[in-house]
Amino acid sequence: MDKIQLFKEAAIFMPARAHMWHLNTTTYAHHMALNDYYQELPELVDAFIEGASVYHGVMAPTGTQYVFDAGE
C-alpha cells in the first residue's frame, strides 16, 4: 500500500483524534494546548495533501479503519 496515501489519510483523521483528547484531558494546560493543535491542524493537513497530490496523485481511500483511543 502506498505509504503517502496512508499518511494523508491518517493526517485527515488526526484533528478529530486531537479534539477527542482535548475534550477528555484532565489538566487545563493540556486542554489549551490540544485546543490550539486541533483547531490549527486541518489547514496544515489540507495544504500538505494538496501539495503532495502534485507528486503522488489525488487522495484514494485505503480502507483503513480509524478509532479513537485514550491518547494520554
Side-chain angles (χ1 to χ4, degrees), residues 2 8 12 16 29 53 57 61 63:
D2 184 354
K8 289 192 276 186
I12 288 172
S53 293

Side-chain angles (χ1 to χ4, degrees), residues 7-41:
F7 180 81
K8 289 192 276 186
E9 194 175 73
I12 288 172
F13 180 67
M14 193 63 204
R17 177 177 274 169
H19 195 173
M20 178 65 88
W21 296 336
H22 159 82
L23 294 171
N24 288 300
T25 189
T26 57
T27 70
Y28 181 75
H30 288 167
H31 183 80
M32 295 311 296
L34 288 166
N35 184 71
D36 292 343
Y37 182 64
Y38 89 82
Q39 287 186 349
E40 294 177 16
L41 191 56

Side-chain angles (χ1 to χ4, degrees), residues 55-69:
Y55 301 102
H56 300 281
V58 297
M59 285 289 302
T62 65
T64 302
Q65 293 187 18
Y66 294 89
V67 297
F68 291 102
D69 57 12

